Amino acid sequence: MQKATYNKNQILYILEAMLEYFISILVAGSYLATLTTQLGFSDSLTGILSSIISLGGLFQLGSMLIRRHKMKRFVIVFSIINQLLFALLYVVPFFKFPATVKQIIFVATIILAYFVYNLAHPKKINWMMSLVNDGIRGRFTANKEIVSLLGGMIFTFLMGNIVDHFKENGEIKTAFIICGITIFVLMAGHTLSMLFTSETEEIVKTQNQKLLSQIGETFKNKDVQKITLLFVLWYIAKGIAEPFNSVYMIKELGFSLTFISVLSIIQAIIRVLCSRALGSYADKNSFAKMLRICFIFAFLGFVAVAVARPSNGSITFALHYITHGIAQAGISSALINLIFDYVPFDSRADSLAVTQSLSGLMGFLSTFAAGFLVTYIQQNGNMFLGVSIYAQQVLNIIAAAATIGIALFLQFGIINKEKNKKSAV
């Protein structure tokens, strides 16, 4: 493929990622919490719904059954279906059904949306990343993230102000209409970006393999085993705390979406400032060593929420967004790049599917378990072990402790092994 074609494809990939990121903003975090609050969901159920994003990775096992040399049409069609379902989430509040029925429809829609998304996601990543030279993957993924974040700052602030304006005027459903239309417009641009991206052929060796056999073959790679375990542990840690933080900000701490948007912008600026530096560090050293830095800041982010209360929430959540932003500057792309570091091309899509499936499942189960703890603490008047404390604070204490363990596994299970391999050469 000629250099000019590579450059065009990489620009389109960056655009595709940015538009997809905008859509993801509108169906997660404080926006999802606003929808669920309107529909009468409890805090614990909202947290569990938020974790559907990670559970969606389980659906990626289905992508291993789809074997084609060319995936472009499949990816585009499934992306359109996924994004139409996301837009439908903003239509559910308008249904003339009992509250329970609307809640069921909402849950079914978001699960189906992530099911469709995750069937195509490993194939899309394998297709798009094949257009990027190995020697620049760290810097390219950093540049891709920077563009998404810069655009996301403007987008988040604009949409946050729109939703707050109509919410304060008692017209929240008008805001829902605008959000739904916005997703539809973004979907059109996202589809065009993929249509004009060149297609590469996947190398397919397992056309007739059964799913369990494919998973077994994938797991024979010891490097895949370690990467999978690393991300299973990380998804458990963040699954315990992160899905509940958004509703904590809106309900217990009383933050407006505008203020949350400001925090998101601060976080995006931090990620922009750190992404390329971390990407360059990973290209020169390794993605594992870069990830070690990120987990340290992830730990600090959990600690910040662990001490957050209505009296200091603005300050502590600002610290959380800053430290979490530094962490996510590397963690967000580390899985893909670790897989591309250790796994042959023809096995990458399957390795991504298996790793993200197991990680997502364990993350969801940890959120589900944490939901019971949230309910228990709230029903006991925010008391736990004789201490006056909010449920989300307890969850972030647990997540912080788990992150320490993850960093130790990364150091002794992967980084030290890298050193031994280099020493043996």
Side-chain angles (χ1 to χ4, degrees):
M1 193 178 293
Q2 294 181 346
K3 184 176 180 180
T5 304
Y6 262 113
N7 290 339
K8 182 206 77 170
N9 286 327
Q10 288 172 17
I11 291 171
L12 287 169
Y13 183 16
I14 290 172
L15 177 63
E16 179 273 333
M18 180 183 71
L19 295 173
E20 186 175 77
Y21 175 61
F22 289 176
I23 294 172
S24 72
I25 289 172
L26 292 177
V27 293
S30 54
Y31 292 90
L32 178 62
T34 301
L35 272 169
T36 57
T37 298
Q38 179 69 21
L39 292 169
F41 285 84
S42 66
D43 286 10
S44 59
L45 186 53
T46 296
I48 292 169
L49 269 181
S50 298
S51 72
I52 292 292
I53 298 171
S54 60
L55 177 63
L58 181 64
F59 305 142
Q60 292 189 17
L61 290 177
S63 74
M64 298 174 70
L65 298 174
I66 301 165
R67 295 291 174 181
R68 300 181 183 181
H69 286 282
K70 295 188 176 183
M71 299 301 304
K72 182 173 179 177
R73 180 181 298 177
F74 169 79
V75 169
I76 291 174
V77 170
F78 272 62
S79 293
I80 292 172
I81 295 171
N82 155 248
Q83 289 159 8
L84 285 173
L85 288 167
F86 279 154
L88 180 61
L89 294 176
Y90 281 97
V91 179
V92 174
F94 294 90
F95 291 165
K96 303 297 183 182
F97 298 131
T100 303
V101 175
K102 288 196 287 187
Q103 290 175 355
I104 292 171
I105 293 173
F106 188 88
V107 171
T109 300
I110 198 169
I111 291 174
L112 182 58
Y114 279 109
F115 173 73
V116 172
Y117 171 83
N118 283 285
L119 281 180
H121 184 67
K123 307 298 185 185
K124 188 193 78 172
I125 293 297
N126 206 32
W127 161 31
M128 296 288 192
M129 287 298 291
S130 69
L131 304 171
V132 181
N133 294 327
D134 285 345
I136 63 167
R137 278 191 285 108
R139 281 162 288 174
F140 173 79
T141 51
N143 290 337
K144 175 167 66 72
E145 182 171 87
I146 286 169
V147 171
S148 293
L149 291 170
L150 288 174
M153 282 190 277
I154 300 171
F155 180 79
T156 301
F157 188 75
L158 176 64
M159 295 305 298
N161 273 279
I162 289 173
V163 174
D164 277 344
H165 169 76
F166 288 105
K167 185 178 180 180
E168 289 168 3
N169 287 283
E171 300 175 352
I172 188 64
K173 289 188 176 180
T174 302
F176 291 164
I177 292 172
I178 293 172
C179 289
I181 293 173
T182 301
I183 290 176
F184 190 82
V185 173
L186 291 170
M187 179 192 73
H190 182 258
T191 302
L192 288 173
S193 71
M194 291 192 292
L195 282 172
F196 289 107
T197 301
S198 301
E199 185 171 18
T200 56
E201 290 195 356
E202 283 190 14
I203 300 173
V204 180
K205 295 182 179 180
T206 55
Q207 287 278 3
N208 299 314
Q209 269 191 327
K210 293 182 179 179
L211 179 59
L212 290 178
S213 176
Q214 291 171 234
I215 295 173
E217 286 295 317
T218 301
F219 263 117
K220 286 182 179 179
N221 186 324
K222 291 185 177 179
D223 290 321
V224 173
Q225 294 173 15
K226 290 179 182 178
I227 294 168
T228 300
L229 179 57
L230 177 71
F231 278 87
V232 163
L233 294 173
W234 169 242
Y235 271 68
I236 289 174
K238 74 173 188 174
I240 290 170
E242 285 186 5
F244 301 94
N245 288 343
S246 294
V247 71
Y248 187 43
M249 288 188 287
I250 289 176
K251 286 191 174 180
E252 283 82 0
L253 302 184
F255 293 171
S256 68
L257 280 180
T258 300
F259 178 69
I260 295 172
S261 297
V262 171
L263 293 179
S264 298
I265 290 171
I266 292 172
Q267 184 179 79
I269 292 171
I270 295 297
R271 286 179 67 172
V272 166
L273 294 174
C274 296
S275 287
R276 190 166 177 83
L278 287 170
S280 296
Y281 179 85
D283 285 336
K284 292 177 182 177
N285 297 279
S286 74
F287 282 96
K289 289 181 179 178
M290 179 267 286
L291 200 53
R292 178 176 57 191
I293 297 171
C294 296
F295 282 141
I296 293 171
F297 282 97
F299 163 76
L300 295 175
F302 289 130
V303 171
V305 181
V307 298
R309 298 182 70 85
S311 59
N312 65 8
S314 299
I315 297 173
T316 51
F317 259 92
L319 292 173
H320 166 73
Y321 269 73
I322 291 170
T323 52
H324 191 69
I326 297 171
Q328 286 302 116
I331 294 174
S332 61
S333 64
L335 170 59
I336 295 170
N337 282 300
L338 282 173
I339 291 291
F340 272 66
D341 273 349
Y342 289 104
V343 181
F345 177 84
D346 56 303
S347 301
R348 287 172 180 172
D350 286 352
S351 298
L352 277 169
V354 169
T355 300
Q356 292 186 323
S357 296
L358 291 177
S359 300
L361 174 61
M362 295 309 296
F364 176 79
L365 291 176
S366 67
T367 302
F368 189 77
F372 288 103
L373 182 57
V374 169
T375 300
Y376 171 78
I377 294 172
Q378 290 181 341
Q379 287 180 347
N380 283 276
N382 292 320
M383 295 290 295
F384 184 66
L385 300 179
V387 178
S388 177
I389 191 170
Y390 287 102
Q392 288 86 346
Q393 291 179 285
V394 175
L395 299 182
N396 279 272
I397 290 170
I398 297 171
T403 304
I404 294 174
I406 296 166
L408 290 173
F409 171 73
L410 174 65
Q411 179 65 45
F412 295 105
I414 297 179
I415 294 176
N416 285 359
K417 298 294 183 182
E418 284 183 346
K419 292 179 182 178
N420 294 336
K421 285 183 180 180
K422 290 179 181 179
S423 299
V425 174

